Amino acid sequence: MALVPSQTPLFAEVDMGADSSAPTVRATVVQASTIFYDTPATLDKAERLLAEAAGYGAQLVVFPEAFIGGYPRGSNFGVTIGNRTAKGKEEFRKYHASAIDVPGPEVERLAAMAGKYKVYLVMGVIERDGYTLYCTVLFFDCQGHFLGKHRKIMPTALERIVWGFGDGSTISVFDTPIGKIGAAICWENRMPLLRTAMYAKVNFLCLSLLYFFRAEGRYCRHCHPLIPYLSNSPVSGIEIYCAPTADSRDVWQASMTHVALEGGCFVLSANQFCRRKDYPPPPEYVFSGTEEELTPDSVVCAGGSVIISPSGTVLAGPNYDGEALISADLDLGEIARAKFDFDVVGHYSRPEVLSLIVRDHPAAPVTFTSASVKTEGSQK
């Protein structure tokens, strides 16, 4: 797929140092728009973008928030305090129909894409769980396995009208052969306690799979040379911090730089670049309060996707020019160099003074005792 060229090079020319003992990972953040209300076409577009990124040598590809299912920018779904309109309810029905089940056929297709192009894939989706929607990030490995998900735990402002709240059970950091990968979505990244949890968290199930794949000799061309370095590294929380977002303001860049410095991790922030014509035309879809000012070519989300090193150096982006693949080589040795200065959950912590408890179990609204009673009865 031909993408709009950027003034920023696709692959940043960055001096990554001369430490040959630490591996380098080529990462790409995708800056592109959803095909709104058309999930099959959006999946086709995602595959074209993924294939192009893999052609440039990407080992890890990160897509924006709500890429599959769409970010309902400008819509209020007909909601005012004390009232909902029939048109707004119909908008929600169509938005619900565009969301995906996890697991489900769209997840299977995304897994197949990751396996086909031999890349680690981080994908922003709108997840449908019954009649509740969640803003979610899905993770896939380069063998085509679904690793897990993260649900946005705190939707922002009117997002709370259409999205449910995730719980602590999907605060996930996956230990992979190319590094420990996790994600926080948009303004979640402003939540210091969530960030602290991610700086310390690793999902050990994925680590177990890593050892299994090593024993079986099942690696893609990207993973194999990284195994000796990463599979023996200490468990120390997130290393490649993905931040799918819908915030294209300049101030977002300051937040991303802060996260990189605070966490001693690489930050990969992916945002959509959208024009008014990327959404259905009025009256089918209306940008509340601004529709009269917009033309089909008006930019409604300017992107700003960026890759930042643990030292706070911008490796690629931010890009505000149009749809683009924004890529950089990540020298994983930079993590240790940054942690020497500041390790927020290590030598720079004071657990005897400050500590954090994370309730990382599923928060079910309804629990049935019949299953446990049946189990007890069978044991008698």
Side-chain angles (χ1 to χ4, degrees), residues 301-349:
C301 184
S305 302
V306 69
I307 299 176
I308 301 174
S309 81
S311 65
T313 300
V314 175
L315 303 180
N319 181 301
Y320 297 100
D321 300 325
E323 293 196 338
L325 300 178
I326 300 152
S327 301
D329 292 331
L330 315 183
D331 170 16
L332 299 188
E334 184 67 17
I335 296 170
R337 293 191 282 271
K339 297 281 193 181
F340 178 66
D341 289 338
F342 184 86
D343 187 354
V344 66
V345 292
H347 63 75
Y348 225 89
S349 66

Side-chain angles (χ1 to χ4, degrees), residues 34-337:
T34 299
I35 302 173
F36 211 80
Y37 288 153
D38 194 339
T39 296
T42 302
L43 285 164
D44 290 343
K45 182 174 183 177
E47 181 159 10
R48 293 194 298 270
L49 292 164
L50 196 62
E52 188 164 352
Y56 288 125
Q59 298 161 265
L60 168 66
V61 180
V62 181
F63 279 76
E65 177 180 11
F67 186 78
I68 306 296
Y71 186 82
R73 185 175 300 277
S75 179
N76 59 19
F77 289 86
V79 173
T80 56
I81 293 176
N83 187 53
R84 289 174 171 81
T85 67
K87 182 177 184 297
K89 291 181 179 181
E90 175 60 14
E91 288 177 2
F92 179 78
R93 185 200 65 78
K94 293 169 67 176
Y95 191 50
H96 179 272
S98 299
I100 68 172
D101 297 321
V102 181
E106 294 85 1
V107 176
E108 292 175 2
R109 181 173 177 189
L110 290 167
M113 289 183 203
K116 178 179 179 180
Y117 298 105
K118 304 300 182 187
V119 298
Y120 286 82
L121 172 62
V122 179
M123 175 63 75
V125 306
I126 299 303
E127 177 191 358
R128 180 177 55 222
D129 188 352
Y131 290 97
T132 296
L133 302 181
Y134 295 92
C135 184
T136 299
V137 170
L138 307 181
F139 301 85
F140 303 87
D141 72 10
C142 64
Q143 294 285 325
H145 300 103
F146 173 54
L147 299 179
K149 67 185 180 184
H150 167 64
R151 285 177 173 174
K152 194 173 190 177
I153 66 171
M154 192 64 221
T156 299
L158 277 175
E159 293 173 358
R160 300 171 202 171
I161 298 294
V162 291
W163 296 341
F165 293 54
D167 61 36
S169 67
T170 67
I171 300 175
S172 303
V173 176
F174 300 99
D175 195 336
T176 78
I178 64 168
K180 301 177 183 72
I181 302 170
I185 307 169
C186 205
W187 279 19
E188 282 189 319
N189 290 283
R190 292 184 167 193
M191 301 173 70
L193 299 185
L194 175 61
R195 296 198 308 268
T196 302
M198 292 177 65
Y199 298 150
K201 181 72 179 286
V202 169
N203 289 50
F204 288 94
L205 174 61
C206 191
L207 185 61
S208 299
L209 288 174
L210 169 60
Y211 287 120
F212 170 77
F213 289 141
R214 182 168 68 171
E216 295 289 312
R218 293 168 56 190
Y219 298 109
C220 73
R221 58 190 170 87
H222 297 314
C223 299
H224 190 270
L226 306 178
I227 297 305
Y229 176 80
L230 286 164
S231 63
N232 298 318
S233 64
V235 173
S236 58
I238 195 164
E239 296 170 331
I240 301 176
Y241 186 116
C242 303
T245 188
D247 192 339
S248 61
R249 299 171 306 156
D250 290 343
V251 71
W252 180 252
Q253 304 302 319
S255 293
M256 295 297 93
T257 300
H258 174 77
V259 172
L261 289 168
E262 179 182 68
C265 52
F266 289 95
V267 171
L268 282 57
S269 182
N271 194 7
Q272 297 193 32
F273 183 94
C274 304
R275 299 185 187 274
R276 176 62 186 88
K277 63 186 177 184
D278 293 318
Y279 287 79
E284 181 182 4
Y285 193 101
V286 174
F287 279 71
S288 179
T290 62
E291 187 63 57
E292 297 77 10
E293 306 167 10
L294 300 175
T295 70
D297 288 324
S298 295
V299 175
V300 295
C301 184
S305 302
V306 69
I307 299 176
I308 301 174
S309 81
S311 65
T313 300
V314 175
L315 303 180
N319 181 301
Y320 297 100
D321 300 325
E323 293 196 338
L325 300 178
I326 300 152
S327 301
D329 292 331
L330 315 183
D331 170 16
L332 299 188
E334 184 67 17
I335 296 170
R337 293 191 282 271

